[in-house]
Amino acid sequence: MKRKSQTMFSLVLLGLIFSGVVIFTGCGNKKDKGPLIESDAPSKVYVEPGKYDEFYSFVSGGFSGQMSVYGLPSGRLFKVIPVFSQNAENGYGYTEETKPMLQTSKGFIPWDDSHHSELSMKDGVPDGRWVFINGNNTPRIARLDLKTFKTVEIIEIPNSAGNHSSPFTTPNSEYVVAGTRFSVPVENRDVPISSYKENFRGAISFIKVDQNSGDMKLSFQLITPPFDYDLSHAGKGPSDGLFFFSCYNTEMAHTLLEVNASQKDKDYILAINWKKIEELVAAGKGTDKATTYYHNKFDDKVHSASSEILKSVKTLTPEEVKGAMYYIPCPKSPHGVDVDPTGEYIVGNGKLSTVIPVFSFTKIKKAIEGSEFEGNVEGIPVLKYESALSGEVQKPGLGPLHSEFDDKGFAYTSMFVSSEIVKWNVATKEVVDRIPVYYSVGHLMIPGGDSKKPWGKYLVSLNKITKDRFLPTGPELTQSAQLIDISGDKMKLLLDFPTIGEPHYAQGIPAELVMKNSQRIYKLEDNNHPYATKFEKDARVERKGNEVHVYMTAIRSHITPDNIEGIKSGDIVYFHVTNLEQDWDTPHGFAIMGNENSELLVMPGETCTIKWIAKEPGIYPFYCTDFCSALHQEMQGYLRVSGKDSNVPISFSTGEKK
Ligand code: RUQ
Ligand code: CUA
C-alpha cells in the first residue's frame, strides 16, 4: 500500500510539474501558442454569411447550469437554453409558468451544475429528438425537446448525490442512467460520517424513457457498495444490454480522498446487465422504498409546467440481481468509460494511470461464463483484469480522462495533465498521432463519437484552462473549445472559440437531423393556457381580493391594455401576456418598472406570466423589451398604483385612437 501510494504521489507530482511547464511556457511565448495552422484552415471553418453550419453541437453549460448550442465548424453560439438555472433573459425559472420546473424535494433550486449532454438515440445513433443533461448538485436529469429547444422535463433522482455518471443512454434510449458520485445513506439520515462503510451506499438509477413522448420515469435503483460512481456509457451491438460505470474510491475513504482514494493500483468498472435486471423487476423482484422526489413537466398546450411529487422508488440489492453485476478492475481512479462504435471494446480512462486499458466484450463474456474471478465485493464478483483485457495503450500521455471514436477505427483520448489529444488504433492499441491543446482538456467530442456511427470529421476539445488564448478579461476568463480536423491521418487544429460556464461533455449531430423538425411558432388556436387572451378585444384587468390579473396582449406595436388604474399598494399583480403574432421570429418582451424577478420574452402564440407587487403609490411605466418593429419604442403603457385604502376603481384602456 505504502509503496503504491508513493508511486501515485510521484505520478501526480510529475503531472503537476508537467502541466505547470505547459502552462508556464504557454504564457507569453508566442511560439508555443499551438501547432502551426495550415493555410487551408480558415476556409475549413469559414461559414459564408447566410449559410448554415454543418453540425449542431449541444454543449453542457457546466456550473452555469444551462446548455449552449453552437454551430460547427464555425464555433458560432446560437442559443443558451436554460435548464437548471433561472434565466432573466427570457424569464425561465422566474415566470409563473416555468417556476415548477425548478422545484425539488429540497425546495425551489435556482441553479445546478450540469455536466453531460446526451442526445437521444435510435439504433445506437443520435436521432435529434431530445437531448438530456444531468444536474449534479441537486441530483436531476432534464430533457430538452429539439423541436422547441426548450427544457420540457426535469426528474429528481432520490438516494443520489453528485449525479455525475448521468444521463447516458442505452442505444434506443430505453433508459437514461444516473449513478451517484457521492455515496450517501440510502434513505438519507443522520449518521456519523465515520460510519461510511456501514451506512453509505451508491445508488445507480435507471430512468425509463417513453419512446413516443420522451417522458421519464424512475424505473429502479441498484444499491451498490459505497464507491464514487464517476461516468458511464452503454454497451452497443454485441454488448447492448450492458451498462458500464467507472468508479473511483474503491478504498471507500471518506476523508482526504486526494490521498486516501488513490491507494489502490486498480479501481473498477461496474458492468450492469440492465436487460436482465429489467426482467427481474418485471418478475416482481426489488423493494419499494419510501422517498420523496419531484417530477416536473412542461406542457406546450397550456404553456405551463407542473410538478408531481413521487413517494416511492424500487430498489434492488446485489443479492437480488445475482449474475447481473460484475466489477472489472481498471487502473487507477478511472474517469471516463467509453465504448467503441463496434461495441466490442470498452475503454477505461484512469486519471492516474500510465496506460489506457481496453477491455473486450467477448473476453468479459467468457470470463463471466468461466467464473474467472479474483474475488467479490459485497457479493458482486470481480473479474480478473487479464481475463477481461484486450490490451493496453502504452505511453499515451498523462491524465487520460475521456475517449471518443471516429468512423475509421480510431479512438481519441483527452489528456488533462499533458494537455493533448492522443489518437490511437482501437484494434492494435498503437498511438498514431497526438496534438497539443490549450490547456488541460476535459471532455472531447466527435459528432456521433459515442455512438454506433460516428460522423467523424471534427473533434472538439473542451478545455478547462484558457490563460492566454483570448484577450484578457480580468481574473475571470472564458472557457474555451478547440476545433480539430480529424478527416486525415494527422489531426489539424482549426479554431479556438469561447464557451459558457465550464463545458464538460458535448454532443454533435448533423444539422439536417434537427433543423427539419424545428418549430417556428406556437399556434394561437392551440394555446390552452388558462390565462391566454387570444383576441385583443378580450384584454382586461380583473381583481380577486388583493390579486389583480392583467389579461394582456402584445402585437406590433402595442400592448393591450396600455393604461391600468385602480391598483392599490400591496396588490399582487399578475401580467399574463399573450403574444398574438403568428410569424417566425417575432417575440415581444414585457417589463414593468421595479419588477424584482425578470422580464418576459413571449414567443408568437405563447402566454407567459410575471408576478409584480405594487409597493408604493405612483406611476409605473411598462414596455416591450424586444425591439420588434419600427414603432417598438411606442410599445409601452402606464400602471397607476394608489394608496392601500384608495377607492380608485379598476379601469384600463384598450387603446382608443385620439
Ligand atoms: S466530467 S471533464 Cu463531468 Cu470529465 Cu467534466
Ligand atoms: Cu414588441 Cu418591441
Side-chain angles (χ1 to χ4, degrees):
M1 278 294 192
K2 271 275 144 50
R3 201 184 51 78
K4 283 173 195 164
S5 85
Q6 267 162 14
T7 321
M8 189 285 297
F9 268 119
S10 19
L11 203 90
V12 170
L13 198 68
L14 189 75
L16 288 176
I17 292 168
F18 197 84
S19 65
V21 167
V22 169
I23 290 162
F24 179 73
T25 56
C27 296
N29 185 345
K30 285 277 182 289
K31 266 183 250 144
D32 285 339
K33 272 195 133 184
L36 279 179
I37 300 296
E38 287 181 28
S39 57
D40 62 343
S43 66
K44 286 191 168 153
V45 300
Y46 182 69
V47 177
E48 237 178 88
K51 291 266 158 64
Y52 292 143
D53 276 281
E54 191 180 345
F55 292 95
Y56 278 102
S57 173
F58 298 95
V59 182
S60 100
F63 43 63
S64 82
Q66 318 294 47
M67 188 186 293
S68 52
V69 186
Y70 289 83
L72 297 179
S74 72
R76 297 183 292 189
L77 172 66
F78 299 142
K79 190 174 172 64
V80 175
I81 309 175
V83 183
F84 295 111
S85 296
Q86 286 178 298
N87 186 28
E89 184 183 341
N90 65 3
Y92 179 85
Y94 290 103
T95 66
E96 295 306 300
E97 288 81 1
T98 53
K99 269 157 59 175
M101 292 302 282
L102 303 181
Q103 283 298 341
T104 75
S105 64
K106 315 226 162 8
F108 180 83
I109 307 283
W111 168 87
D112 215 308
D113 178 21
S114 60
H115 277 213
H116 313 122
S117 41
E118 174 89 340
L119 287 159
S120 57
M121 291 196 196
K122 186 91 207 135
D123 301 324
V125 183
D127 60 5
R129 296 176 78 190
W130 309 303
V131 57
F132 301 90
I133 189 162
N134 63 327
N136 258 294
N137 186 52
T138 305
R140 287 173 282 178
I141 293 176
R143 180 173 60 88
L144 284 66
D145 192 326
L146 293 182
K147 278 205 289 285
T148 54
F149 282 60
K150 246 175 141 159
T151 305
V152 291
E153 188 178 8
I154 294 182
I155 189 167
E156 196 182 356
I157 313 293
N159 296 325
S160 201
N163 175 35
H164 195 251
S165 34
S166 174
F168 299 96
T169 175
T170 53
N172 285 297
S173 289
E174 297 96 333
Y175 292 94
V176 291
V177 298
T180 197
R181 170 179 163 202
F182 303 108
S183 283
V184 286
V186 165
E187 295 173 288
N188 209 339
R189 61 197 181 275
D190 172 19
V191 295
I193 296 170
S194 59
S195 70
Y196 184 89
K197 283 185 196 173
E198 300 84 68
N199 285 324
F200 291 45
R201 283 295 168 273
I204 295 179
S205 309
F206 279 73
I207 295 99
K208 186 112 197 141
V209 179
D210 184 282
Q211 295 302 297
N212 293 313
S213 64
D215 279 6
M216 296 184 282
K217 181 177 177 289
L218 177 47
S219 245
F220 57 87
Q221 278 189 330
L222 303 167
I223 308 302
T224 66
F227 302 155
D228 292 49
Y229 293 88
D230 205 13
L231 280 150
S232 56
H233 263 114
K236 49 173 90 86
S239 56
D240 185 12
L242 292 186
F243 222 113
F244 301 96
F245 288 80
S246 62
C247 38
Y248 63 99
N249 191 24
T250 55
E251 293 84 351
M252 297 186 267
H254 56 81
T255 178
L256 195 62
L257 262 63
E258 180 187 18
V259 177
N260 296 331
S262 305
Q263 299 291 313
K264 295 196 358 192
D265 259 355
K266 291 196 178 65
D267 293 279
Y268 300 126
I269 289 170
L270 173 60
I272 297 175
N273 186 336
W274 58 266
K275 286 202 174 156
K276 187 161 185 173
I277 295 170
E278 202 176 38
E279 285 165 19
L280 293 171
V281 170
K285 275 259 158 89
T287 317
D288 293 321
K289 271 201 188 344
T291 183
T292 301
Y293 62 103
Y294 271 64
H295 181 206
N296 309 323
K297 266 164 57 181
F298 192 88
D299 179 350
D300 266 356
K301 291 188 198 76
V302 287
H303 295 285
S304 302
S306 57
S307 300
E308 177 189 10
I309 303 168
L310 296 155
K311 290 282 182 194
S312 153
V313 58
K314 168 133 357 255
T315 60
L316 297 115
T317 60
E319 181 62 29
E320 288 171 299
V321 299
K322 243 195 166 73
M325 293 205 280
Y326 295 90
Y327 282 119
I328 304 165
C330 182
K332 245 200 99 123
S333 304
H335 188 57
V337 55
D338 302 296
V339 182
D340 90 312
T342 69
E344 166 63 13
Y345 298 107
I346 299 101
V347 180
N349 303 264
K351 300 179 298 252
L352 303 175
S353 170
T354 53
V355 299
I356 301 174
V358 182
F359 302 96
S360 146
F361 169 70
T362 313
K363 290 188 74 179
I364 292 170
K365 209 172 131 208
K366 261 210 211 116
I368 292 172
E369 282 160 8
S371 300
E372 295 169 43
F373 306 141
E374 62 170 46
N376 77 84
V377 187
E378 295 187 8
I380 303 172
V382 179
L383 302 186
K384 288 191 180 131
Y385 178 64
E386 283 74 19
S387 300
L389 191 72
S390 163
E392 294 173 338
V393 182
Q394 299 296 329
K395 300 215 176 69
L398 294 175
L401 288 188
H402 296 280
S403 300
E404 288 264 290
F405 305 89
D406 69 9
D407 48 344
K408 302 185 192 92
F410 294 100
Y412 300 76
T413 301
S414 56
M415 297 290 170
F416 177 81
V417 176
S418 54
S419 279
E420 60 186 334
I421 306 281
V422 175
K423 175 180 177 181
W424 49 276
N425 184 307
V426 178
T428 66
K429 324 296 184 262
E430 205 185 336
V431 172
V432 295
D433 192 24
R434 52 181 77 232
I435 189 169
V437 286
Y438 299 82
Y439 305 94
S440 301
V441 52
H443 269 279
L444 73 177
M445 182 277 277
I446 293 169
D450 69 339
S451 79
K452 259 181 156 170
K453 286 204 186 104
W455 286 282
K457 195 159 179 180
Y458 301 112
L459 180 152
V460 179
S461 170
L462 296 147
N463 307 324
K464 301 296 186 192
I465 296 172
T466 322
K467 293 275 178 189
D468 54 356
R469 300 301 289 182
F470 300 107
L471 289 174
T473 52
E476 188 182 347
L477 302 174
T478 180
Q479 276 72 29
S480 99
Q482 292 187 290
L483 186 74
I484 294 165
D485 177 356
I486 56 164
S487 58
D489 290 343
K490 291 260 157 219
M491 292 180 275
K492 290 178 195 161
L493 178 62
L494 296 177
L495 181 73
D496 279 22
F497 60 96
T499 52
I500 61 148
E502 185 205 305
H504 290 256
Y505 201 25
Q507 295 263 280
I509 184 168
E512 73 258 15
L513 292 182
V514 174
M515 61 186 283
K516 62 174 190 223
N517 299 324
S518 195
Q519 188 170 323
R520 299 190 164 194
I521 60 162
Y522 297 101
K523 282 198 192 135
L524 254 186
E525 70 222 54
D526 297 341
N527 179 338
N528 293 325
H529 191 297
Y531 289 97
T533 313
K534 298 197 193 180
F535 304 98
E536 205 170 290
K537 65 173 174 48
D538 296 331
R540 64 196 184 276
V541 180
E542 282 176 4
R543 174 180 286 285
K544 276 188 200 150
N546 72 336
E547 272 185 15
V548 177
H549 292 268
V550 181
Y551 292 75
M552 190 174 256
T553 61
I555 193 162
R556 283 163 290 178
S557 301
H558 54 277
I559 296 171
T560 313
D562 66 352
N563 282 338
I564 301 170
E565 301 192 29
I567 308 297
K568 297 182 216 174
S569 52
D571 279 350
I572 301 164
V573 183
Y574 292 95
F575 295 94
H576 309 285
V577 183
T578 303
N579 180 344
L580 298 180
E581 309 279 356
Q582 291 287 269
D583 277 341
W584 193 22
D585 198 16
T586 50
H588 292 290
F590 176 84
I592 178 162
M593 190 165 79
N595 59 332
E596 291 173 296
N597 27 38
S598 76
E599 70 153 345
L600 293 177
L601 191 64
V602 193
M603 295 304 128
E606 188 186 25
T607 303
C608 299
T609 303
I610 204 83
K611 178 176 166 181
W612 182 79
I613 302 193
K615 284 192 184 146
E616 302 267 319
I619 298 295
Y620 295 83
F622 53 83
Y623 69 105
C624 169
T625 51
D626 187 299
F627 207 108
C628 50
S629 62
L631 296 176
H632 153 81
Q633 287 299 84
E634 280 72 11
M635 214 167 159
Q636 65 174 53
Y638 291 107
L639 180 138
R640 171 184 171 196
V641 177
S642 305
K644 220 176 173 38
D645 305 316
S646 98
N647 46 23
V648 178
I650 287 278
S651 68
F652 52 92
S653 97
T654 48
E656 317 72 48
K657 286 195 191 116
K658 284 266 143 72

